[in-house]
Amino acid sequence: MKSHTIFLLGLLLIGSVTVRAELSITSLKTDYKTNPIGIDNPKPKLSWIIQSDQMNTMQKSYEIRASLNLKDVQKGRNLLWKTEQVATSKSIHVKYAGSPLHSFQRIYWQVRIRDNHGKTSKWSEVAFWEMGFVFDTAWEADWISPTWEEDITVSEPSPYLRKEFKLGKEIKDARLYISCHGLYQVEINGNRVGDQEFTPGWTSYDTRLQYQTYDVTDNLKQNGNTLGIILGDGWFRGNLGWVKNGNIWGTQLAAIAQLMVSFTDGSTEIIATDDSWKATTGPIIESDIYNGEVYDATRELTGWSSPGYDDSGWMNTQVVEISKNKLIAPEGPPVRIINELEPLLITRVGDDWLVDMGQNMVGWIRIKASGKKGDVITLKHAEVLDNEGNIYYENLRRAKQTNTYHLKGGSEETFEPHFTFQGFRYVMVSGYPGRLDADAIKGIVIHSDMEPAGTFTCSDPLINQLQHNIVWGLKGNFLDVPTDCPQRDERLGWTGDAQVFAPTACFNMDAASFYTKWLKDLTADQDDDGSIPHVIPNMLGHGGATGWADAGVVIPWVMYLDYGDVSVLENQYESMKRWIGYMKQRAGDNLIWEGDKHFGDWLSFDASRSDYMGAYTVKDLIATAYYSYSSRLVSKVATVLGKDDDARYFSELSDRVKSAFNDEFVTPNGRLVAHTQTAYTLALAFDLLDEETAEKSAGFLAGDVEQFGHITTGFLGTPLISLTLTDQGRNDLAYQLLNRKEYPSWLYPVTMGATTIWERWDGQKPDSTFQNKGMNSFNHYAYGAIGKWMYQVVAGIGIDPDQPGYKHIIIHPRPGGGLTSARATHKSMYGEIVSGWILEDDQLTMEVKIPVNTSATLHIPGTSDDILINGDNMGDSGIEFKEADGKMVGVIGSGSYTIITKQ
């Protein structure tokens, strides 16, 4: 090995004064959440982040203590759980193992650790979690429904339910547990409770229905109180699907609520839904997810959720028979209002106003107006303008995306809808009284409230806009389930889209609990024969399409790699096995899965090429490739779970399918019978070829890219082609695909003004005409899966599958494509990771940050003798670098590094 001058700088100085290294614990999480209330996991997983200003710090042991009392846990007495010192570096997903937990308990906990330098931290700040309903407690509340809701169709006026009550004692604390069939908003004493939207969320309603828990201590009064609930159709019975399709899960809206109040004298009281509640309708005339809302302010029920309101004209409610056993606590993040956008431009169009929000967004418009009684304001939403500057609605298909507001007159009024959302950039406002100014209109952005986890920037502003589009495509389609699109009459949890985008999603957002929840719905909706539906929650019927149903295997594995959480594999393992069993049954003895209906490489560039060999052949190839690949993944899962017999079985099955794949689809010279970029990409990415054949096939793939000069892949090939090219030594071609600005490419939509990812490569053509209106979403995240390559290859942050969850990190940037800089950050379970680089002339400067309690393999491009790592030479640093494949490679510990090398 060559000798190298290597310098290392540890960040151990504050100002010019040397101080003792600090060791502390932050970011305590319970099942991925900070101080959650109303969980029902009897053995929640605890995680924490370690802070230290000393390099190369690892946890050597931890201690956890937990109690039902805040002071007790701080004093270390009357504990439910005390671990003593546990000798391990494990600081994520530590399962609670104390005394059995019961409903409604609040558990306080702390942790402290000892590091590899012999230092012991102070006890952390106290965190807590609070139980909801667990197995030992039944709901006392009844399901209730208005008496007119016995058999009703969609888009009827929203029911309003209310109950007045007195408490009469000093309140210590109070919790409201609530759910419904449909959607709900809840108020106490004239004020809305909580900030969650689209509750109780979208699940497989027949077997899983979430309830929410709210701390309403401050909402209640000692004397008169009123609890009020508004119901909307939502996904439960609203329009759903691209044909007339409502009442999927039922025709009757209903609610269940249980208010539990504790008093300072030690007594308790429960206020619950029963047939003493009253019901009526009010100003929400219609509220449908696809079509929008009609709101008549002249019918407002002023003071309806406050004490003393006259409800003598209201109707009775009825107790209805709905199972309470399916009620579950939420695992995923709630939907919330995340941003408010100002309009970019407002233009007068005849008597109307065309509003450009400047961003294709998901949510709704909040509008203020002053007019007379009977004035009607209509807001119609769309994503794009046509080539003449007119607002374009045709790609919405049957979704109206229209909100209508009937003014009551008098003072200024503010309107925003209750139970609908739109996907849009542009809004046509009709009937507005007077001049519409920017201060009267706001874009309200909603999505599942996931914590942002990643950033990416580089020297090319078009690629930066691509990253922006990836993130906003994610935001717009992560609304309690991962949907395909947010605007037309679809908005469904398509499994294929979710599968290909999951790695990119997990880099940009903390999506762990989001996917955990959705995967349990996938299992709930899985057919008895092992088939997995096309959409989750399932409203289309039977599924079983390769690449789509494989989400049931691929996404749990992605989550395990990203978050190091074995429990997701435990939860999904039987479901995975059943899916492999379904593929095995469909493929038969020859192991080639053929003849079934599959989506293939959906929306690929051109499926009619003369050398494409026909879409049917490619679908068989894709199906068989996924059969081998998913079987291999299940073998790996079985190994992680210690199921050795299963691991051998699925590994051998994968090998046999791989052999059948080669016999059926691969010629002796390495050419695939379907000579397409996707075919070669899948064969190489899924390790279906022997080394000699893989080398030949990689040549064919590179040749195809060079011949066409652009990408030709669809939904299944696109996420993998760039990584495959890089792995095969053709990073130049991967950069070529990224940098291309003409159709088809990732940057073509950017040059056309896109602010989200498009469904098609040419959703809007160069002449500004449009693709097929029947399937042309301008907010469709699937092609945004290129993000994984950008973060892993361009910026250089990768996962070591042998030490998942970024316990060991791969820092391996590969500059190219004319870029002069790139930088990515990712907040892992252990803390923030940074990898960035700047290329100036022949000097490359790298910035690297590795969190405490992790390590990394650092790849420095080039083999120059002139390498600096901020200060000391290699011998003094204790870091050993070796030359490998044109790089210098070494293992580093936690800390911040600046590396300078010649190129």
Side-chain angles (χ1 to χ4, degrees):
M1 189 183 79
K2 300 177 181 178
S3 65
H4 299 274
T5 303
I6 299 180
F7 298 90
L8 175 67
L9 175 64
L11 301 181
L12 301 178
L13 297 179
I14 298 178
S16 59
V17 180
T18 301
V19 296
R20 186 178 184 274
E22 292 293 329
L23 182 68
S24 61
I25 311 299
T26 65
S27 303
L28 276 66
K29 297 286 183 71
T30 303
D31 285 345
Y32 298 104
K33 299 178 181 180
T34 301
N35 297 337
I37 64 172
I39 72 171
D40 59 7
N41 180 3
K43 295 182 179 180
K45 305 183 298 293
L46 310 181
S47 304
W48 54 90
I49 290 177
I50 304 167
Q51 304 286 351
S52 174
D53 50 11
Q54 186 167 1
M55 303 282 280
N56 304 309
T57 297
M58 295 288 289
Q59 174 184 292
K60 296 297 288 184
S61 65
Y62 69 75
E63 296 175 77
I64 297 175
R65 62 189 186 190
S67 175
L68 296 176
N69 182 278
L70 175 61
K71 291 183 179 180
D72 282 349
V73 77
Q74 292 171 325
K75 297 291 187 181
R77 65 193 184 200
N78 301 323
L79 298 176
L80 289 174
W81 185 34
K82 181 175 174 60
T83 65
E84 304 300 339
Q85 280 198 3
V86 180
T88 177
S89 69
K90 184 179 180 66
S91 59
I92 62 174
H93 311 309
V94 176
K95 284 188 178 181
Y96 172 79
S99 300
L101 302 178
H102 302 287
S103 297
F104 319 128
Q105 288 179 324
R106 174 174 284 197
I107 296 87
Y108 298 91
W109 67 285
Q110 291 178 293
V111 61
R112 70 178 176 186
I113 70 116
R114 186 171 178 82
D115 70 13
N116 56 320
H117 305 298
K119 297 182 178 66
T120 300
S121 74
K122 296 179 181 178
W123 284 102
S124 69
E125 294 295 322
V126 178
F128 67 83
W129 75 87
E130 187 173 296
M131 303 304 294
F133 287 86
V134 293
F135 61 89
D136 62 346
T137 305
W139 284 72
E140 295 187 25
D142 295 318
W143 279 99
I144 63 169
S145 181
T147 53
W148 69 81
E149 276 279 334
E150 293 183 4
D151 187 13
I152 206 164
T153 58
V154 298
S155 299
E156 294 289 333
S158 287
Y160 284 61
L161 313 176
R162 74 184 303 270
K163 171 74 174 182
E164 287 200 30
F165 58 95
K166 292 183 178 180
L167 296 173
K169 298 181 181 180
E170 185 177 354
I171 300 165
K172 178 184 177 184
D173 56 54
R175 299 291 182 269
L176 175 65
Y177 306 92
I178 181 171
S179 186
C180 75
H181 276 180
L183 298 174
Y184 75 81
Q185 289 186 4
V186 60
E187 299 182 10
I188 293 180
N189 296 334
N191 297 306
R192 186 169 171 189
V193 173
D195 60 359
Q196 301 185 29
E197 305 290 342
F198 291 88
T199 48
W202 191 8
T203 52
S204 302
Y205 291 132
D206 289 336
T207 56
R208 287 166 41 83
L209 178 61
Q210 297 177 138
Y211 66 86
Q212 281 70 42
T213 302
Y214 300 98
D215 182 345
V216 294
T217 307
D218 295 336
N219 298 74
L220 297 174
K221 301 174 182 178
Q222 188 168 332
N223 295 314
N225 294 276
T226 300
L227 179 57
I229 303 169
I230 313 173
L231 298 178
D233 294 335
W235 299 283
F236 181 81
R237 78 168 190 190
N239 288 294
L240 203 60
W242 47 89
V243 295
K244 285 189 175 181
N245 202 0
N247 302 315
I248 300 295
W249 283 277
T251 62
Q252 187 177 33
L253 300 185
I256 185 170
Q258 186 161 316
L259 174 62
M260 303 182 64
V261 185
S262 298
F263 301 103
T264 55
D265 66 1
S267 62
T268 61
E269 185 172 352
I270 292 177
I271 310 298
T273 44
D274 57 24
D275 60 8
S276 67
W277 284 55
K278 305 295 287 292
T280 192
T281 58
I284 304 174
I285 307 303
E286 297 179 16
S287 196
D288 181 79
I289 286 178
Y290 289 171
N291 294 329
E293 182 165 306
V294 178
Y295 186 94
D296 186 351
T298 66
R299 298 183 58 182
E300 286 183 341
L301 307 170
T302 304
W304 73 278
S305 64
S306 297
Y309 179 83
D310 182 5
D311 63 7
S312 59
W314 289 37
M315 299 178 68
N316 294 326
T317 59
Q318 58 187 338
V319 173
V320 290
E321 291 299 322
I322 298 173
S323 173
K324 301 173 190 177
N325 294 330
K326 65 180 180 179
L327 289 167
I328 57 170
E331 289 188 81
V335 175
R336 288 192 172 99
I337 295 173
I338 305 297
N339 303 101
E340 295 187 10
L341 302 184
E342 304 284 341
L344 178 66
L345 182 66
I346 301 177
T347 306
R348 189 73 189 239
V349 180
D351 294 332
D352 302 332
W353 300 93
L354 176 62
V355 181
D356 178 2
M357 298 308 300
Q359 171 66 51
N360 198 359
M361 56 167 282
V362 173
W364 56 76
I365 289 293
R366 179 190 297 150
I367 191 166
K368 297 187 295 185
S370 296
K372 62 182 183 298
K373 182 178 180 179
D375 285 346
V376 179
I377 301 173
T378 302
L379 300 93
K380 297 186 68 175
H381 306 75
E383 295 183 290
V384 291
L385 305 179
D386 66 18
N387 56 4
E388 296 181 354
N390 300 312
I391 195 165
Y392 181 74
Y393 300 114
E394 293 185 17
N395 70 318
L396 303 180
R397 302 191 306 212
R398 298 191 185 193
K400 295 179 182 178
Q401 281 218 130
T402 300
N403 296 330
T404 303
Y405 182 61
H406 297 250
L407 276 70
K408 60 187 174 186
S411 60
E412 184 178 74
E413 303 173 47
T414 300
F415 167 67
E416 55 187 314
H418 298 73
F419 302 117
T420 187
F421 64 89
Q422 287 83 42
F424 66 100
R425 173 174 173 170
Y426 298 94
V427 188
M428 186 65 77
V429 182
S430 304
Y432 189 83
R435 178 180 179 82
L436 180 61
D437 294 320
D439 62 356
I441 194 165
K442 295 286 187 294
I444 308 302
V445 178
I446 64 168
H447 58 78
S448 291
D449 191 8
M450 300 167 291
E451 183 179 356
T455 66
F456 174 88
T457 58
C458 70
S459 56
D460 188 327
L462 293 181
I463 297 175
N464 291 340
Q465 182 65 39
L466 173 62
Q467 166 66 8
H468 171 98
N469 295 0
I470 290 170
V471 172
W472 274 86
L474 184 161
K475 290 178 178 180
N477 285 290
F478 275 48
L479 201 156
D480 208 47
V481 305
T483 59
D484 58 329
C485 62
Q487 74 298 92
R488 68 187 181 216
D489 56 349
E490 195 162 351
R491 315 186 196 188
L492 304 177
W494 281 95
T495 49
D497 304 52
Q499 183 259 122
V500 300
F501 189 68
T504 296
C506 291
F507 182 90
N508 284 292
M509 296 285 182
D510 179 357
S513 64
F514 177 89
Y515 280 127
T516 298
K517 171 258 184 186
W518 185 73
L519 286 170
K520 289 186 178 179
D521 288 309
L522 182 148
T523 298
D525 280 345
Q526 189 171 14
D527 291 341
D528 292 340
D529 62 3
S531 173
I532 294 173
H534 302 322
V535 298
I536 302 296
N538 182 24
M539 47 75 61
L540 294 181
H542 190 74
T546 190
W548 271 247
D550 292 278
V553 172
V554 174
I555 294 179
W557 184 249
V558 168
M559 289 182 61
Y560 169 69
L561 294 180
D562 273 271
Y563 303 108
D565 190 352
V566 175
S567 70
V568 70
L569 303 182
E570 295 169 340
N571 293 337
Q572 300 301 131
Y573 184 64
E574 292 302 320
S575 170
M576 296 181 194
K577 288 171 59 179
R578 290 168 58 208
W579 168 240
I580 302 300
Y582 177 83
M583 288 196 285
K584 187 173 185 291
Q585 184 267 327
R586 299 306 300 166
D589 292 340
N590 70 353
L591 303 177
I592 302 298
W593 190 1
E594 57 187 344
D596 283 356
K597 179 181 178 181
H598 298 292
F599 297 109
D601 192 29
W602 188 250
L603 297 183
S604 58
F605 166 67
D606 186 357
S608 63
R609 285 169 33 187
S610 60
D611 60 345
Y612 200 84
M613 299 301 290
Y616 182 79
T617 302
V618 172
K619 288 179 181 179
D620 293 351
L621 182 152
I622 292 172
T624 307
Y626 265 99
Y627 181 16
S628 177
Y629 176 62
S630 286
S631 297
R632 181 71 62 189
L633 288 185
V634 175
S635 174
K636 292 180 179 181
V637 171
T639 298
V640 172
L641 299 180
K643 300 177 182 292
D644 295 339
D645 291 343
D646 281 3
R648 282 190 294 272
Y649 169 79
F650 288 109
S651 176
E652 291 169 0
L653 176 60
S654 177
D655 286 342
R656 289 191 290 116
V657 177
K658 174 178 175 178
S659 178
F661 178 93
N662 279 266
D663 292 343
E664 184 75 10
F665 300 116
V666 185
T667 67
N669 71 345
R671 185 183 178 97
L672 298 183
V673 296
H675 189 62
T676 65
Q677 291 177 16
T678 290
Y680 288 112
T681 294
L682 294 181
L684 292 163
F686 292 172
D687 192 25
L688 299 177
L689 309 172
D690 61 46
E691 185 174 351
E692 181 180 355
T693 305
E695 184 176 351
K696 295 176 181 177
S697 291
F700 285 124
L701 172 61
D704 195 84
V705 173
E706 290 171 332
Q707 175 190 348
F708 284 92
H710 61 71
I711 198 167
T712 65
T713 53
F715 275 29
L716 297 183
T718 298
L720 300 171
I721 186 170
S722 297
L723 283 168
T724 301
L725 287 168
T726 297
D727 289 344
Q728 298 301 322
R730 295 306 308 267
N731 207 38
D732 59 321
L733 293 179
Y735 269 109
Q736 177 183 318
L737 294 180
L738 176 66
N739 283 328
R740 179 180 168 87
K741 299 176 182 63
E742 299 77 23
Y743 159 75
S745 69
W746 286 285
L747 295 185
Y748 167 72
V750 174
T751 67
M752 296 294 288
T755 60
T756 45
I757 300 296
W758 292 357
E759 180 177 20
R760 294 178 177 269
W761 292 117
D762 60 342
Q764 191 164 21
K765 298 178 181 180
D767 64 358
S768 292
T769 60
F770 297 106
Q771 252 284 1
N772 183 347
K773 65 183 180 183
M775 190 168 295
N776 197 21
S777 164
F778 292 92
N779 193 348
H780 222 93
Y781 56 62
Y783 285 147
I786 181 61
K788 178 183 178 181
W789 180 83
M790 291 160 54
Y791 320 136
Q792 181 174 320
V793 175
V794 179
I797 297 179
I799 298 170
D800 181 350
D802 293 329
Q803 299 185 64
Y806 295 97
K807 180 66 171 174
H808 185 79
I809 305 155
I810 308 298
I811 301 293
H812 189 185
R814 278 153 279 196
L819 297 180
T820 57
S821 68
R823 186 178 190 269
T825 68
H826 179 67
K827 187 176 180 181
S828 74
M829 294 292 295
Y830 297 95
E832 186 182 52
I833 305 164
V834 178
S835 177
W837 54 269
I838 298 174
L839 184 61
E840 295 178 302
D841 298 324
D842 63 345
Q843 179 174 292
L844 180 72
T845 302
M846 295 174 60
E847 173 196 4
V848 175
K849 181 181 178 182
I850 306 302
V852 172
N853 206 29
T854 70
S855 58
T857 298
L858 172 64
H859 297 250
I860 302 175
T863 59
S864 169
D865 289 341
D866 188 9
I867 299 176
L868 306 175
I869 306 183
N870 277 357
D872 294 329
N873 60 39
M874 181 175 62
D876 293 334
S877 71
I879 304 172
E880 180 180 355
F881 282 88
K882 296 182 179 179
E883 184 178 329
D885 299 325
K887 305 176 295 295
M888 301 306 299
V889 182
V891 175
I892 58 176
S894 65
S896 297
Y897 303 84
T898 300
I899 301 102
I900 301 174
T901 182
K902 298 294 184 181
Q903 295 293 290

